[in-house]
Amino acid sequence: MSRSLSRRSVLATTAAAATAAAVGPLATATAAHAAPTLPDGTSKDKVLVVGMDGLRHDVIAAAKAPHLKSMMANGTYGTSLLYANPMAATSSGPGWSTISTGVWPDKHGVKENSFAGKNYGKYPGFLARLAQVRPQLSTYAAVDWKPLDTQGTVTPGADAKLVLDGDADGYTGHDATIAAETESILRNQNPDVLFVYFGQTDIAGHNSGAASTAYRAAIDVQDGYLGRLLTAIGARPSYATERWTVIVTTDHGHTDSGGHGGSAIEERRTFVLAQGPGIAAGARPADTRLVDVAATVYRQLGIVPDPAWGLDGKPIQERSTDPFEALYPALAGRTDETGIPAGILGWTHTAPSGWSVVNSAMGTGGVAEWRGWSFATDEFWSRSQRDQSRELNVRSRGIFAVADSDEWDDKASSGPYDSTLVTPAYAVGGGSRVTLGFTTLYRQEGSQSARVLASWNGGTPVEVKRYTSDVISQPQALTLDVPAGAANVSFRFHYTGSNNWYWVIDGVKVTAS
C-alpha cells in the first residue's frame, strides 16, 4: 500500500492484533455486520475478483497457500513487472487504478497515493464500466483501504459496497469482515460480479518484510479467505448451471526487508491468476500484464470492449502473436552483465524466422548482450540498469527487440553503435496502402539516430519515419502508399549511437489494404 507516514503508527499498533486475530474471526464478523441485499443477478457468466495488497508472488511457494496453489494448477498464472517512476510509483494508488481501469498510469493519471491527476472520467473502473454497458448485472465491492472508495478507484458502479477503514482500525479484523460478508452473499444471494480486497499482506510486508514468517502467515490467512469464497461458490444451488471465473491479483510487491514504491525488481512484482471457462489449466504465460484483469472480466462476461475505451489490457487467455515470442528456447543467461542474477534467462541475438540483424557497420567490443539489436525480456533488460526509464516499457509483452547503446558501451568498445533490424518481406500486391504497426519505447540523446525504412520488392530502403524525441512505450502506426508494381515490402529499424540511450520495438504487425 505504501501509505503516508501517518500510517506508520497504525502499522505498529495493528501488528499484535494481526497475530492474535489471524485465525477464526469470521463468526464474530458475521454477527457484527449484516450483508446488504443485492439486486437479483441476471447472468450465468459470473466473475469474482480478489485483490490481495502487496502480495509478492514469488513468496507464495514458501507459504502453505493451498487454494492459491490449486488455482495455479487449475488456471492460468501470469507474472509480470510494474512500471516505476517517473511513470508512477510502485504503490497502491497506481496499482489498483491499473487493475480496475485496465490502462496504464499514463492514461488513468494516478502516479502515487495522493491520486492527483486521476482520470477515471475517461478511464473508469470495470464496475463503473459495467454499470454503463450492462446495468442489469448485480455487482458488489468490498474494500478496507478507504481511498479505493473515496477516490473512486474500485467501488463506483457497484450495486452494494462494504467500505471499512483498515488504516484507522487495523486490517486483520476488517479483512475477516470482508471475507464473511462476501461468503454470505455468495451463498445466499445471486451476484454477478464481485471485487473484494484484502490488505493485511501489505501490513505484514511493511512490518516484517517479505522474507519473514509473518508475511507468509498473512498469505496463508488470506488464502483461507479465498478458500472460503471458492467453497461458497461451489455450494451455490445453481452452481451447476453457472459459469464462474475467479481472478486473484495484487497491486505491487515488497522488498525482502519490507516496503515498496521504488524501482527494485521485488517491488515491481505483480501477477494475474485466473480460473474459469476458456482459461487453460496450468498455463504460465509470459505475456500477461497487470492491465489484463479488467479485459479478462469483460471477456468472461461476453462483453467486447469498445475501442474508444482505450484499454491497454487483453484477456488472460489471449496470447500475443508477436514474432519475437517464438524465441524463448533461445534465451540465455548473462554473459558480460554483472547486475543480473546468473539464473535469469532473458536475452538472445537469434532473430525470429525470416528476420535478420545487420551489424556490418557495428563497432567492436562492448557488452556482449547488447552488441547490436538483441531480443530480451523485461525481467532481464530492466535489471541491466535501474532508474533510466527501462521500467517504463509497459506496453511490450514477453520478448521484445532492443538496441541499447548505453549498456553496450559499459565495456570497452571502439567505433559506433550501428545496427539494423530487418523484417521479412510482406506481400502487398493488390493493395493500395500498407500499415506498419508496432509498440516502441525510445529515449533520445545527442547524435543518436532511430529510423524506420521501407524496401519495396527488395529495392533500396527509403526512410519513412525518424525519431528525434522520446516516445515512452506507445503504439505506432505508419501507413504508406504502395508504389505501382510493388509486390512486397520489408522494413528496417536502423539505430545508431555512442553511449547514448536505447530503442525498443515490439508487437510488429503489417497489414495491407
Side-chain angles (χ1 to χ4, degrees):
M1 299 173 200
S2 187
R3 318 296 192 229
S4 63
L5 287 176
S6 62
R7 183 163 180 256
R8 298 302 179 183
S9 60
V10 176
L11 300 181
T13 57
T14 57
T19 303
V23 181
L26 292 180
T28 301
T30 304
H33 189 91
T37 301
L38 274 67
D40 191 43
T42 59
S43 176
K44 293 297 184 181
D45 296 305
K46 298 180 184 293
V47 182
L48 167 66
V49 178
V50 180
M52 298 186 179
D53 203 297
L55 177 51
R56 211 174 90 186
H57 63 74
D58 58 324
V59 182
I60 295 174
K64 295 175 184 177
H67 303 102
L68 286 167
K69 292 175 181 177
S70 174
M71 280 190 64
M72 291 175 190
N74 294 298
T76 294
Y77 176 48
T79 63
S80 63
L81 297 175
L82 282 177
Y83 40 73
N85 281 318
M87 180 172 283
T90 50
S91 53
S92 285
W96 292 113
S97 297
T98 299
I99 290 165
S100 186
T101 64
V103 302
W104 293 111
D106 57 358
K107 288 183 178 178
H108 64 61
V110 180
K111 299 181 67 172
E112 31 73 32
N113 285 347
S114 74
F115 291 82
K118 64 183 180 183
N119 192 14
Y120 298 149
K122 185 173 183 180
Y123 302 105
F126 64 80
L127 290 178
R129 185 74 77 183
L130 292 176
Q132 296 171 358
V133 300
R134 287 274 185 90
Q136 68 271 30
L137 293 175
S138 176
T139 59
Y140 171 77
V143 301
D144 51 5
W145 188 42
K146 285 190 72 175
L148 296 180
D149 175 63
T150 57
Q151 295 291 343
T153 310
V154 166
T155 59
D159 291 311
K161 64 184 181 181
L162 171 62
V163 179
L164 303 171
D165 192 345
D167 281 353
D169 310 323
Y171 283 84
T172 304
H174 284 337
D175 281 358
T177 300
I178 288 172
E181 178 163 303
T182 306
E183 180 185 25
S184 172
I185 289 170
L186 287 169
R187 285 184 180 274
N188 303 315
Q189 299 191 50
N190 187 26
D192 293 320
V193 183
L194 308 92
F195 183 107
V196 299
Y197 165 98
F198 300 118
Q200 184 59 31
T201 34
D202 188 66
I203 301 299
H206 281 292
N207 284 338
S208 305
S212 68
T213 56
Y215 187 72
R216 295 193 294 274
I219 293 175
D220 287 338
V221 170
Q222 288 179 185
D223 181 86
Y225 295 154
L226 173 64
R228 295 180 74 104
L229 301 185
L230 293 171
T231 299
I233 289 172
R236 292 172 55 79
S238 53
Y239 176 73
T241 64
E242 296 171 344
R243 296 175 293 273
W244 276 93
T245 297
V246 179
I247 303 170
V248 183
T249 190
T250 194
D251 55 334
H252 55 72
H254 260 284
T255 63
D256 283 350
S257 59
H260 54 86
S263 60
I265 289 289
E266 292 75 20
E267 298 168 275
R268 296 172 58 211
R269 293 207 183 281
T270 60
F271 69 92
V272 181
L273 170 61
Q275 69 176 29
I279 297 175
R284 298 290 186 271
D287 60 346
T288 298
R289 288 285 203 171
L290 194 61
V291 286
D292 295 343
V293 172
T296 303
V297 172
Y298 298 137
R299 165 68 70 83
Q300 298 306 98
L301 294 171
I303 295 170
V304 178
D306 187 328
W309 297 356
L311 292 185
D312 290 319
K314 63 180 181 61
I316 195 172
Q317 63 266 55
E318 183 179 299
R319 298 281 64 80
S320 297
T321 57
D322 184 280
F324 306 144
E325 298 304 286
L327 297 178
Y328 283 99
L331 295 180
R334 71 186 190 198
T335 298
D336 289 335
E337 283 284 1
T338 58
I340 301 173
I344 304 296
L345 305 180
W347 78 281
T348 182
H349 283 311
T350 301
S353 176
W355 291 65
S356 62
V357 175
V358 178
N359 285 336
S360 56
M362 187 78 188
T364 61
V367 174
E369 288 90 332
W370 316 117
R371 190 173 189 274
W373 280 95
S374 304
F375 307 92
T377 65
D378 193 22
E379 177 89 16
F380 192 90
W381 183 57
S382 66
R383 282 180 179 269
S384 65
Q385 183 63 54
R386 283 169 56 179
D387 298 321
Q388 293 182 341
S389 293
R390 289 175 181 84
E391 300 90 353
L392 309 192
N393 192 32
V394 293
R395 289 185 176 87
S396 288
R397 291 177 180 265
I399 298 173
F400 48 85
V402 57
D404 192 335
S405 66
D406 176 66
E407 281 300 297
W408 172 71
D409 198 59
D410 282 356
K411 187 177 180 181
S413 62
S414 63
Y417 187 108
D418 190 322
S419 185
T420 303
L421 175 65
V422 185
T423 75
Y426 299 92
V428 295
S432 60
R433 290 185 141 192
V434 63
T435 298
L436 168 66
F438 59 96
T439 297
T440 199
L441 170 64
Y442 177 70
R443 288 200 69 192
Q444 173 70 36
E445 183 188 64
S447 60
Q448 78 180 34
S449 67
R451 301 186 303 147
V452 183
L453 303 100
S455 172
W456 305 97
N457 291 344
T460 302
V462 177
E463 181 179 309
V464 295
K465 174 73 174 179
R466 178 185 292 259
Y467 289 94
T468 58
S469 59
D470 292 358
V471 180
I472 304 302
S473 195
Q474 293 296 324
Q476 308 287 285
L478 306 180
T479 299
L480 311 175
D481 292 328
V482 176
N488 62 69
V489 62
S490 65
F491 293 95
R492 295 176 175 236
F493 300 92
H494 180 216
Y495 174 86
T496 68
S498 178
N499 193 24
N500 298 121
W501 283 125
Y502 46 75
W503 191 14
V504 172
I505 299 294
D506 196 29
V508 176
K509 185 177 182 181
V510 176
T511 54
S513 61

